[in-house]
Amino acid sequence: MSLILPQSLYDDLRAHGEATYPNECCGILLGNADTDALRVTQLLRAGNTRTDSAHNRYNIAPSELIAAQRQARNSGLDIVGFYHSHPDHPAQWSPTDFAEAHWFGCAYVITAVPKGHATDTNSFLLTGTTEDDKRFEPQPIVVE
Ligand SMILES: [Zn+2]
């Protein structure tokens, strides 16, 4: 299961992480899922609502998520993933990222932003069916 992104959206989610540095950015990926790929066609930037520790925590407000679901449905799309940045940390998921991931079948995209400049971008597919058997699996990102 790969994640397919247009170049413009790939650039945009990375630029978002640079813009919010040294805080994390976050956002929602809309598109369509087929049998072997998640295809992203829209990106929604979200405000980082964590005020306690915005540099290493991210959160998407429930109201933003509901608005994103409505926008997706109106466009014939689904929420296929989420993205956030890791200022001065590698593009690998953290225990908190894993604990707070609940959308099975969705992509969780993380961009490392050392010193304010986006470097690695990785995606992890949340597999499983329950909180007990869920796993993050690295997935290829295809930029086209
Ligand atoms: Zn994270």
Side-chain angles (χ1 to χ4, degrees), residues 6-16 45 143:
Q7 182 78 51
S8 60
L9 297 187
Y10 181 76
D11 291 345
D12 192 23
L13 71 84
R14 289 165 56 81
H16 193 192
R45 291 187 175 200
V143 179

Side-chain angles (χ1 to χ4, degrees), residues 9 11 16 29 35-36 49 66 77 79 81 86 94 97 101 106 108 112 117-118 129 133 141 144:
L9 297 187
D11 291 345
H16 193 192
L29 304 173
T35 51
D36 58 358
T49 58
I66 290 166
L77 304 173
I79 292 176
H86 279 179
S94 69
D97 292 337
C106 276
Y108 286 78
H117 183 76
T129 53
D133 72 354
I141 296 177
E144 54 182 31

Side-chain angles (χ1 to χ4, degrees), residues 13 21 28 33 35 39 54-55 68 74 94 99 112-113:
L13 71 84
Y21 182 89
I28 303 168
T35 51
R39 185 176 292 274
H55 62 282
N74 289 343
S94 69
V113 188

Side-chain angles (χ1 to χ4, degrees), residues 97-111:
D97 292 337
F98 184 69
E100 295 181 353
H102 308 296
W103 288 64
F104 299 108
C106 276
Y108 286 78
V109 178
I110 300 172
T111 298

Side-chain angles (χ1 to χ4, degrees), residues 22-91:
N23 292 327
E24 290 195 5
C25 71
C26 59
I28 303 168
L29 304 173
L30 306 186
N32 293 108
D34 63 32
T35 51
D36 58 358
L38 299 172
R39 185 176 292 274
V40 179
T41 53
Q42 280 186 42
L43 177 157
L44 300 177
R45 291 187 175 200
N48 190 335
T49 58
R50 293 288 289 243
T51 53
D52 53 337
S53 179
H55 62 282
N56 60 6
R57 295 281 187 275
Y58 77 101
N59 189 38
I60 295 171
S63 58
E64 284 186 296
L65 205 45
I66 290 166
Q69 283 180 297
R70 185 177 305 125
Q71 180 170 336
R73 199 167 49 238
N74 289 343
S75 310
L77 304 173
D78 290 312
I79 292 176
V80 295
F82 303 91
Y83 72 88
H84 71 285
S85 62
H86 279 179
D88 299 317
H89 282 89

